[in-house]
Structures are given as C-alpha cells and as structure tokens.
Amino acid sequence: MKTKGKGVWGRGTKLGLPVVFLACIVFFLAGLFGSMLLSQDISGVQMRPRLLESVEEKIEYNPMPHGETGETSISSVPFQVLSWKPRALYFPKFATAEQCQSIIKMAKSNLRPSTLVLRKGETVANTKGIRTSSGTFMSASQDKTGILDIIEQKIARVTMIPKNHGEAFNILHYEIGQRYISHYDAFNPAEYGAPKSQRIASFLLYLSDVKEGGETMFPCENDFLDFNYDPEKCIGLKVKPRQGDGLLFYSLFPNGTIDPTSIHGSCPVIEGGKWVATKWIRDQEQEE
C-alpha cells in the first residue's frame, strides 16, 4: 500500500524543499552552538595568545676541580654582542645602583679637567675642546668599601684578562655640552712612539642614566674602509648610558694590530649629566 502525503523519513521518502531548508538551518545552528561551547572549554589552554617569555632554567652544574688560581664556583654574566666590527659587548646590570652611587660619591671631591695623551706635535693648547669632561683616577686599593675590587674582578672574568693588566679606574663626569671627540684608546706607534705596553680593550661602566645625549659612539662601525666623516659628529653605532650597565670593546685584533673600527667618542650631553667609570686593559701587567 502506498503512503500518500509527505510521509516520514525513510528509504524512498521524498522530502519537500521547505523541509530540507529547515533541516539545514537546524544543523547549522547546532554546529555553531557546539563550536562556541568547545571554544570556551579550550580557550584557557590552546587558544591563549602565545607570548615570548624569558625562561630561567634552573640547571645545577657541578664545578670542575680548579687550579691554584681558579675559582670554586660557576658564574654567569648576561651579555649581548653589539658589534663584530669592532668587537663590542654590552652587559646589562653589571653593577648595582648602590655600587654606582658609591663610586660617584668617592670621586666627586677629586674631579679635575680631563687630559689627553699627546701625539707628536700636539700641545694642550691645540687640543683644547677634544675632551671636555672632568675626572679622576682611582685604584681598587684606594677604595676602602671594596666595591671597585668587586667590579675589577668581574671585569677580569668577562674579558679573561687578569685584573693586574688593568689601569686604575678613570671616573669621568660629563656636564651639559661636554663630549669626547672620536679617538682610539690604543696607541699608534707612528703617532705616539713605541709604547711600553698597549691597550687591548676598554670597559665602560655607566654610573648614571643620561636623559638625552651622552651616547658612546662608534662612527666607523662595520666599515673601516671609508673614514671620510666629521669626527665631531655623533653618528654610527650609539650606546645609550644606563646606570649599572657595562660596555666592553676591543681596540686590537687578535693578532695585536689596531682595529680601525674601534675609533669611538662620547656624544655631547644634551640634558642631565653623565658619570662613567672607564677601565683600560693592557697587554702587560701594570704597576699598582
């Protein structure tokens, strides 16, 4: 017996267009509702935006047996390579704010106008304006607080050059408008004569923030072929002083010759003041 009318769903049943349309809508709404429920369930796990986070892995290292002059513990000092030409490394939070403030306090009463090592034919008069800061030299043995000794040992660790190869700290203060025009820390024998020892590297510990200006600049970074530049301009790679941060750069290539790209200077301070402790490191031991 044949069934008349629309009948029920089953084999051979013919559905009208309105019924099919209504069914599609029902399935669509059911799927949408289900997907919303699913997304709420997993939103806290899989759908959370991914963030780049710094993860400090707590890994225990077993120190190796060390020699007579070694150290008993393993240390880690964060750093960033700023440049390979010249070789320049940046050390965030190398010293604490309290250590920096203590060094400034010790140096303040002994500041004198900064001087230059004169080249052949140069005089104090014709080099006036090249270096306009004030400063003082201070060795770790003069510091009864022991802070300079701590900083000096840390510098020796990151440079792998013994601390007795370093000159006394040169504590410098730059006021508004003061600067140091581009120069080399190493001594060219053709200009200065044969030095008793050569400066290998320089470590700058910034003792204060500078609101504006005062950057350490490398005008010929990555390009030692073109030296057609104005040495008084603040150009090239510029490192902004931040209290407690350190900057290490090498004046010599590993073969002992001067790296032309290590020429550097201090941009004029525009606002605020700049305090920095400079440690020049040589290829031979230095007398106390």
Side-chain angles (χ1 to χ4, degrees):
M1 180 178 179
K2 295 183 179 179
T3 302
K4 294 183 179 179
K6 297 182 179 178
V8 296
W9 291 16
R11 185 185 296 269
T13 301
K14 294 184 178 179
L15 301 179
L17 182 61
V19 175
V20 174
F21 180 71
L22 180 61
C24 291
I25 293 178
V26 171
F27 282 119
F28 173 76
L29 292 176
L32 178 62
F33 182 70
S35 65
M36 291 175 64
L37 290 177
L38 183 61
S39 65
Q40 289 178 359
D41 291 338
I42 66 174
S43 61
V45 180
Q46 295 180 351
M47 301 304 292
R48 180 188 303 167
R50 294 184 177 180
L51 301 177
L52 291 176
E53 298 178 352
S54 177
V55 179
E56 295 184 0
E57 296 184 4
K58 295 182 179 179
I59 303 175
E60 294 185 2
Y61 297 97
N62 295 320
M64 295 288 290
H66 60 85
E68 294 181 2
T69 61
E71 299 180 352
T72 59
S73 61
I74 293 173
S75 60
S76 176
V77 183
F79 70 92
Q80 175 189 359
V81 176
L82 296 183
S83 171
W84 285 106
K85 297 179 180 181
R87 288 175 292 154
L89 290 82
Y90 166 74
F91 296 85
K93 298 181 180 180
F94 193 82
T96 66
E98 292 74 20
Q99 288 172 330
C100 294
Q101 291 162 3
S102 179
I103 295 171
I104 292 174
K105 185 178 179 180
M106 288 188 289
K108 268 186 175 179
S109 60
N110 297 313
L111 296 178
R112 301 289 185 273
S114 298
T115 59
L116 294 170
V117 178
L118 299 177
R119 292 178 289 194
K120 296 176 182 179
E122 288 184 332
T123 65
V124 174
N126 63 24
T127 55
K128 187 177 181 180
I130 291 178
R131 191 184 192 194
T132 56
S133 60
S134 56
T136 184
F137 283 92
M138 187 181 302
S139 64
S141 61
Q142 296 174 299
D143 174 20
K144 296 180 180 179
T145 69
I147 291 174
L148 289 180
D149 183 60
I150 293 172
I151 300 298
E152 199 168 57
Q153 289 186 44
K154 198 171 182 180
I155 292 174
R157 226 178 263 125
V158 298
T159 59
M160 279 302 297
I161 302 174
K163 66 177 186 177
N164 56 11
H165 282 241
E167 299 180 33
F169 285 94
N170 189 198
I171 316 298
L172 299 168
H173 182 220
Y174 292 81
E175 297 180 352
I176 293 177
Q178 292 187 330
R179 63 178 184 178
Y180 196 173
I181 292 176
S182 297
H183 61 283
Y184 290 103
D185 284 348
F187 302 105
N188 186 342
E191 297 177 327
Y192 294 94
K196 292 182 179 179
S197 65
Q198 184 64 283
R199 286 175 176 169
I200 300 174
S202 302
F203 192 98
L204 279 59
L205 174 62
Y206 297 112
L207 303 175
S208 68
D209 295 323
V210 182
K211 290 185 178 180
E212 188 176 359
E215 300 92 346
T216 303
M217 62 168 175
F218 296 89
C220 296
E221 189 262 337
N222 205 37
D223 184 5
F224 54 84
L225 298 176
D226 183 10
F227 285 85
N228 296 319
Y229 73 98
D230 185 346
E232 297 191 21
K233 288 186 176 180
C234 185
I235 58 174
L237 173 64
K238 292 186 283 187
V239 183
K240 183 175 178 62
R242 296 194 306 198
Q243 186 182 59
D245 291 357
L247 172 66
L248 167 67
F249 62 92
Y250 290 85
S251 297
L252 302 184
F253 287 124
N255 65 5
T257 61
I258 296 175
D259 180 355
T261 63
S262 69
I263 190 168
H264 62 285
S266 180
C267 299
V269 173
I270 299 174
E271 183 179 0
K274 175 183 177 181
W275 285 89
V276 60
T278 300
K279 168 70 70 172
W280 289 302
I281 304 166
R282 293 188 177 245
D283 58 359
Q284 296 181 26
E285 292 185 10
Q286 300 298 294
E287 296 180 1
E288 183 64 33

